[in-house]
Amino acid sequence: MEIAPKMCFECLQQRIEADFSGGLTFIHGLSDFPLPFGSCALVQVSNSGGEAAQQFVLNYVPYSPDDCLARYVDEYCVLEGGDDSAIENTKSLNRKQDQADVSVGISGDKNSALDTTSTEYRHSSNGGRNIFLKGCKTCIISNKFSCLRIITSLAPTAQIGYASYELFEELASSFSSGSIEDHILHSLNLLVGGKSAGRDSVNFLSLVGLPSFKENGFPGCIRHPNIGPILGMLKSSSHIILVLPKTPYTLDNILYYSPAAIKSDWHVRFLIYQILSALSYMQGLGMAYGNLRPSNIMLTDTSWCWLKIGEKQLLNSKLNLKEEFYSNPTGGFCFEGCSAHALYADLRLSESNNWQSSFYSWWKGELSNFEYLLILNRLAGRRWGDHTFYIVMPWVLDFSFKPDENSNAGWRDLTKTKWRLAKGDEQLDFTYSTSEVPHHVSDECLSELAVCSYKARRLPLSVLRIAVRSVYEPNEYPSNMQRLYQWTPDECIPEFYSDPRIFYSLHSGMPDLAVPSWAGTAEEFIKLHRDALESNRVSCQIHHWIDITFGYKMSGEAAIAAKNVMLPASTSTMPKSMGRRQLFTQPHPPRQIITRGTPEKKNGSTKVTDVGVKHDQLIETNYLNKLEEATSFCENSWHLTPNYNVYSNNCLKDGPCENERLGKSSEYMSSMELDFAKNCGQTSTIDSNYLLENIEVDDDNSLGYQELLLWRQTSSSKNFSRGAADDIFSVGCILAELQLGKPLFGPISVASYLEGGVLPSSMQDLPHHVKVIVEASIQKEWNRRPSAKCLLESPYFPNSVKSSYSFLASFHLLARDESRLQYAATFAKRGALKTMGAFGAEMCAPYCLPLAVTSASDSEAEWAYILLTEFLKCLKLEAVIKLIVPSIQRILQASSYSFV
């Protein structure tokens, strides 16, 4: 299998600068790997007029002419009668007409419908592009439709063309202006208002379960509201660049740093409903999402859910997406002369997410301290390049003396935090005793100010002016390592153990950072500093530093004793994308120290005497005690390697089994296309009255547990692939974690379950109604798991969840705020909030009210007035005080607001 190569972040930055003519600002790379290698980056566009800069994610997918995604992009990049020179700088090609042509039911003309569903080449009048090719033999994206149909369905919002800054500006402008899907919301506004509307609104409503969710969907060109939008597919010389909007959070972030942000059981159900709605759509297309886990679930600023779409969904063919590039991290895509591989050539990190394996390797001395600390940083969510949440390492020296293991001089005490060493016990005790909220430490163990000061000689001056001081004064930055260590209470960064370039200044007026006198050059210092980190002296103590940085001394009495209580966030219910994460709840075991031998002088000669004991010579009792301690520690920390997926050995990951895929596609497509053609001209019965009927809420107080048990007995899965069933297993695991506050499965427990049917004991802690859903979703036999559609229709989801989703799904199109406000006000005026009931209206209010507050024009003010009036009519007094009154106060405080 071909390997999916990655770039070091520096070469990724250079490639982005080259592809977009320096018009984009590289913020930092994105990767799940402990080292700074990856194919994704966060970039920024600077807008004029004082507006806030927009940020986007670029995902570089290697270009191979034979792959489905490359063929798809090439189809849109080729102009009729053009050649490479003529189209080199071509901007995006408008696909609106093509999208309209293939949209489900867009035309009542049967001949037109049959033309759009042809499996042969079809030439468009717009540039001669071929919309659909026959399904390729190697594609496993879908077992029903050709790969190009599915790519269009997953990325209908993407502009396609050759990578250029001009094209990027165009798609960024479309995104910021809300013009991408505004036509759909305009059609919905007409429909809700009782006016004649186009097919866009009906097609969209069919995606969100109106009139009902479909087991077998047909690929259209309207994005499902819970499928993450791809804004662009841009072709460069060696890659296809997927352009994605940046979301402030992932579900992973919420679970780690702000679990209280998911406020109630209702919000858990609402989130799971959104995930299932997206999966139901994908299952209807004959495909699986694959590798569904909290890190792939993006959350917008309103906590609306998007499933992230990337190469795993769009390129499920020749590339080996297991990312086995770590043995050679430069992967052939770095620029010539790149030094990244040399910097990390001695490391033996692998792609494995099995933390237990890494721990045992470190504990036995097979993995270095540096490597193990990088793995702990990854588990804690810390990120290379992100100065606000950077990789943290311990200072192990104070640089006053050359490190010597036989002397105490110059070594840092690793049992105490750097804050404690810098501030002193007396000052920390005073802070703790006099603070309104008792704490010793107010900031993170590594602040943005410290990181940028450490890296000052390599960072652009524009970054230093923002993060350090608005006026650039080079003499204010510490000039040598000892001064740098004394200057800050913050910990170290990994570059001081690996990259000598951090000492050399790029700026005039700022001299190179001086190394200690006992190290002649930066390269020599890095070696000596790294040797100190890997020394037996540090190895004997490093577990204490882990306890105060990632472990049990971060909370409770242990944190008080270690003077390590941090000032908590002001509101625990606000979602966060970063923060201190406590990985361990019991003391971290010390590393096994194996002393090979030390030189001993006798009678003027030197010989090596074994003063320690080798691993296989340890006293058996002592070793077994230490092994038992390490094993207990690992078992207690199993949650660091959560398991959300199961796969059959006979099936490909992220896709259907081979015997399911072959032989069914053509037959299935033919019957579906004929059904589509027959029904294409039928008039839709969906109107505003129908929508109101479908969001009506009856008495929603009961859980319906008996109904849930009955549903469980009758639930079944039809037309279900193994990959889709594995997605349902993931949903069950995510639902359980949202309820339990910890993962349901680890590597050992999932193996025990699959082999012997032994469920984790934590299943007993789930509420009864949740347990029914989870047990159904994680059935050992994959074909006994319910489909996404079956789960959506289960009694687990009360009517208030379904009606709120029907109301809010349209609200989350990529459209203008004005259009969203008009939609909410128009639908509310038609009686939607009243029909939903007080509870459903209260759940929808946080999504709608911010638009009423920020409205500016006269028409927007009128819609805001209507929306507020409708909420006042149906909300209970407590909700009015909590939600409406603060919104009205903010409106009155806004001087630019004008009411009609």
Side-chain angles (χ1 to χ4, degrees):
M1 298 285 283
E2 187 179 342
I3 293 175
K6 306 292 182 181
M7 291 170 275
C8 73
F9 285 163
E10 290 188 7
C11 287
L12 180 59
Q13 179 176 358
Q14 292 179 44
R15 193 169 294 277
I16 290 172
E17 291 172 351
D19 289 339
F20 298 98
S21 306
L24 299 181
T25 302
F26 180 91
I27 306 299
H28 60 79
L30 302 169
S31 177
D32 292 330
F33 189 48
L35 290 174
F37 295 92
S39 58
C40 294
L42 183 66
V43 299
Q44 181 171 292
V45 179
S46 298
N47 293 326
S48 59
E51 297 179 7
Q54 289 181 293
Q55 292 186 341
F56 299 88
V57 173
L58 299 186
N59 182 5
Y60 272 66
V61 179
Y63 174 85
S64 175
D66 295 328
D67 287 326
C68 312
L69 183 61
R71 295 167 63 200
Y72 181 82
V73 171
D74 284 344
E75 281 296 306
Y76 284 99
C77 283
V78 174
L79 291 175
E80 185 175 13
D83 55 23
D84 290 341
S85 61
I87 61 176
E88 184 176 352
N89 297 315
T90 301
K91 293 184 178 181
S92 71
L93 299 172
N94 189 345
R95 294 188 295 155
K96 287 184 179 179
Q97 183 58 48
D98 297 319
Q99 291 173 356
D101 288 346
V102 297
S103 183
V104 181
I106 194 67
S107 169
D109 185 352
K110 292 184 179 182
N111 293 327
S112 172
L114 285 169
D115 179 49
T116 64
T117 58
S118 172
T119 58
E120 302 293 337
Y121 280 79
R122 184 175 76 83
H123 288 274
S124 160
S125 60
N126 189 359
R129 289 165 286 144
N130 302 320
I131 302 305
F132 296 123
L133 302 175
K134 283 185 175 180
C136 58
K137 295 180 180 179
T138 58
C139 176
I140 55 172
I141 296 179
S142 169
N143 61 3
K144 295 180 181 178
F145 301 101
S146 71
C147 54
L148 302 188
R149 289 177 180 269
I150 298 302
I151 292 174
T152 299
S153 300
L154 293 180
T157 58
Q159 295 192 52
I160 301 178
Y162 290 92
S164 68
Y165 182 63
E166 291 74 20
L167 176 52
F168 196 96
E169 276 190 314
E170 184 179 325
L171 65 88
S173 175
S174 297
F175 177 70
S176 62
S177 65
S179 63
I180 295 178
E181 295 175 329
D182 198 64
H183 61 287
I184 302 174
L185 196 50
H186 175 71
S187 179
L188 282 163
N189 280 331
L190 292 175
L191 179 66
V192 169
K195 301 176 182 178
S196 177
R199 293 292 306 184
D200 282 337
S201 55
V202 177
N203 292 340
F204 177 82
L205 292 172
S206 69
L207 298 183
V208 297
L210 292 173
S212 65
F213 290 99
K214 299 177 180 178
E215 291 281 5
N216 297 315
F218 190 87
C221 285
I222 292 179
R223 179 183 64 90
H224 188 283
N226 297 117
I227 297 291
I230 296 178
L231 305 178
M233 295 180 181
L234 312 182
K235 181 181 177 180
S236 70
S237 58
S238 58
H239 289 81
I240 293 172
I241 310 166
L242 304 181
V243 183
L244 313 172
K246 175 186 178 291
T247 54
Y249 321 104
T250 66
L251 184 56
D252 221 23
N253 298 154
I254 304 301
L255 292 170
Y256 287 168
Y257 311 121
S258 51
I262 301 177
K263 301 177 179 63
S264 67
D265 179 66
W266 188 92
H267 289 91
V268 170
R269 299 188 200 208
F270 189 59
L271 177 63
I272 295 295
Y273 193 88
Q274 294 179 61
I275 296 171
L276 286 171
S277 181
L279 291 179
S280 178
Y281 173 65
M282 297 180 76
Q283 289 176 11
L285 300 180
M287 65 177 299
Y289 181 83
N291 195 31
L292 181 64
R293 54 196 309 111
S295 59
N296 290 332
I297 299 172
M298 306 186 295
L299 298 175
T300 68
D301 53 0
T302 59
S303 295
W304 185 258
C305 162
W306 282 344
L307 294 192
K308 182 168 63 177
I309 299 297
E311 61 263 42
K312 284 186 180 295
Q313 292 74 41
L314 301 176
L315 194 62
N316 207 348
S317 55
K318 290 187 176 181
L319 285 186
N320 178 11
L321 296 172
K322 291 174 66 178
E323 302 182 314
E324 297 172 350
F325 64 92
Y326 302 129
S327 59
N328 179 19
T330 55
F333 276 101
C334 283
F335 289 97
E336 185 177 354
C338 173
S339 61
H341 181 59
L343 292 177
Y344 306 105
D346 62 324
L347 302 185
R348 293 165 292 178
L349 292 169
S350 70
E351 66 162 331
S352 172
N353 288 323
N354 190 330
W355 170 80
Q356 285 89 340
S357 175
S358 299
F359 166 78
Y360 279 120
S361 295
W362 171 82
W363 183 77
K364 292 184 293 185
E366 298 169 356
L367 198 67
S368 69
N369 291 332
F370 186 71
E371 290 168 298
Y372 184 58
L373 292 175
L374 286 176
I375 290 171
L376 295 185
N377 272 275
R378 178 181 60 79
L379 291 173
R382 307 189 76 93
R383 304 180 281 263
W384 284 91
D386 185 350
H387 298 153
T388 62
F389 202 39
Y390 207 71
I391 306 294
V392 62
M393 291 279 167
W395 292 111
V396 297
L397 304 173
D398 65 12
F399 309 106
S400 58
F401 295 91
K402 184 175 182 177
D404 180 357
E405 289 198 63
N406 297 318
S407 170
N408 292 327
W411 293 92
R412 175 257 179 101
D413 184 356
L414 289 167
T415 66
K416 297 180 179 180
T417 66
K418 184 65 164 55
W419 269 82
R420 189 174 179 182
L421 294 173
K423 304 294 184 181
D425 286 7
E426 184 177 349
Q427 181 175 340
L428 294 186
D429 288 341
F430 178 79
T431 301
Y432 186 84
S433 61
T434 58
S435 301
E436 182 178 351
V437 179
H439 67 279
H440 299 107
V441 181
S442 58
D443 296 322
E444 256 280 7
C445 58
L446 185 60
S447 65
E448 181 182 12
L449 172 63
V451 173
C452 291
S453 298
Y454 293 160
K455 298 174 64 177
R457 286 153 179 83
R458 310 300 298 178
L459 293 176
L461 295 182
S462 58
V463 174
L464 297 181
R465 289 190 178 101
I466 294 173
V468 181
R469 190 165 181 241
S470 58
V471 178
Y472 170 62
E473 292 289 348
N475 294 327
E476 292 184 353
Y477 293 86
S479 59
N480 59 66
M481 284 302 299
Q482 187 175 11
R483 179 70 186 110
L484 190 69
Y485 172 82
Q486 296 169 345
W487 165 80
T488 175
D490 290 59
E491 291 289 359
C492 188
I493 59 175
E495 283 86 345
F496 286 119
Y497 291 105
S498 60
D499 191 353
R501 295 174 299 177
I502 197 170
F503 288 87
Y504 300 122
S505 178
L506 299 173
H507 312 307
S508 60
M510 182 185 290
D512 293 344
L513 183 64
V515 299
S517 58
W518 40 263
T521 64
E523 289 74 15
E524 182 182 354
F525 170 82
I526 291 294
K527 182 182 184 305
L528 291 171
H529 201 206
R530 177 75 168 274
D531 288 344
L533 177 65
E534 304 301 340
S535 66
N536 282 348
R537 184 185 185 95
V538 170
S539 294
C540 288
Q541 299 183 39
I542 193 68
H543 61 285
H544 295 302
W545 185 86
I546 293 173
D547 286 337
I548 58 179
T549 309
F550 299 112
Y552 83 107
K553 291 184 179 179
M554 295 176 65
S555 62
E557 293 298 324
I560 297 175
K563 305 187 189 306
N564 192 36
V565 177
M566 184 177 174
L567 182 66
S570 56
T571 55
S572 60
T573 58
M574 293 298 294
K576 296 192 299 181
S577 62
M578 65 183 71
R580 299 185 81 186
R581 184 187 177 196
Q582 183 176 341
L583 301 179
F584 312 114
T585 57
Q586 67 183 53
H588 194 288
R591 192 180 191 187
Q592 292 287 77
I593 304 302
I594 303 170
T595 307
R596 302 290 180 185
T598 57
E600 178 185 3
K601 287 191 175 183
K602 187 175 183 180
N603 298 328
S605 63
T606 302
K607 67 175 182 178
V608 174
T609 302
D610 194 0
V611 298
V613 285
K614 293 184 179 180
H615 182 74
D616 56 359
Q617 295 173 329
L618 289 171
I619 300 173
E620 185 175 357
T621 302
N622 185 41
Y623 174 73
L624 290 177
N625 287 338
K626 291 182 177 179
L627 180 60
E628 183 179 355
E629 176 189 5
T631 302
S632 173
F633 176 76
C634 257
E635 290 175 350
N636 191 59
S637 306
W638 65 268
H639 60 279
L640 297 178
T641 311
N643 192 295
Y644 301 97
N645 301 281
V646 289
Y647 301 102
S648 167
N649 293 330
N650 298 320
C651 290
L652 292 169
K653 290 186 179 182
D654 306 333
C657 292
E658 194 71 11
N659 60 1
E660 290 180 299
R661 182 175 61 84
L662 298 178
K664 288 188 177 182
S665 180
S666 299
E667 178 182 352
Y668 185 89
M669 286 175 60
S670 298
S671 62
M672 176 159 286
E673 288 161 1
L674 289 174
D675 290 341
F676 166 72
K678 291 177 182 178
N679 298 325
C680 187
Q682 293 183 1
T683 304
S684 171
T685 58
I686 297 180
D687 55 22
S688 58
N689 292 327
Y690 181 88
L691 293 179
L692 289 173
E693 292 173 4
N694 275 272
I695 64 170
E696 187 173 0
V697 176
D698 299 324
D699 184 9
D700 233 5
N701 294 326
S702 64
L703 288 176
Y705 182 59
Q706 294 301 321
E707 294 180 7
L708 201 57
L709 291 177
L710 179 61
W711 166 87
R712 179 70 190 92
Q713 294 172 2
T714 58
S715 61
S716 62
S717 58
K718 297 186 296 183
N719 300 321
F720 209 32
S721 73
R722 171 60 196 263
D726 288 341
D727 286 342
I728 298 302
F729 183 94
S730 302
V731 171
C733 294
I734 293 170
L735 172 57
E737 185 169 358
L738 287 168
Q739 292 285 346
L740 297 170
K742 61 182 179 181
L744 180 63
F745 286 115
I748 297 176
S749 58
V750 76
S752 299
Y753 173 58
L754 295 176
E755 292 172 9
V758 180
L759 283 168
S761 59
S762 58
M763 283 287 292
Q764 303 306 316
D765 299 328
L766 291 172
H768 294 306
H769 61 288
V770 177
K771 186 179 177 183
V772 172
I773 296 294
V774 172
E775 285 182 336
S777 301
I778 63 172
Q779 284 288 311
K780 284 177 56 180
E781 297 80 11
W782 67 267
N783 53 6
R784 294 184 59 190
R785 298 171 200 155
S787 65
K789 178 180 185 295
C790 184
L791 285 168
L792 285 166
E793 295 173 347
S794 73
Y796 173 70
F797 296 107
N799 289 334
S800 59
V801 165
K802 299 175 182 179
S803 63
S804 296
Y805 180 77
S806 299
F807 179 81
L808 293 172
S810 307
F811 196 78
H812 288 87
L813 288 163
L814 302 181
R816 295 178 301 146
D817 286 349
E818 181 181 2
S819 299
R820 296 179 188 175
L821 180 59
Q822 180 184 4
Y823 163 80
T826 305
F827 207 3
K829 188 176 182 180
R830 297 283 295 182
L833 298 178
K834 181 180 179 181
T835 303
M836 292 167 61
F839 181 78
E842 183 179 348
M843 295 300 101
C844 292
Y847 294 91
C848 304
L849 293 178
L851 288 179
V853 172
T854 58
S855 56
S857 68
D858 289 345
S859 59
E860 289 179 88
E862 183 177 356
W863 292 324
Y865 175 77
I866 293 171
L867 186 61
L868 288 171
T869 301
E870 294 301 323
F871 272 117
L872 284 171
K873 289 179 181 178
C874 60
L875 289 179
K876 295 181 179 178
L877 178 61
E878 182 181 352
V880 169
I881 296 173
K882 176 184 175 182
L883 299 169
I884 304 300
V885 172
S887 297
I888 293 176
Q889 289 175 336
R890 287 193 292 271
I891 290 172
L892 295 176
Q893 291 168 359
S895 57
S896 61
Y897 197 96
S898 61
F899 248 117
V900 176

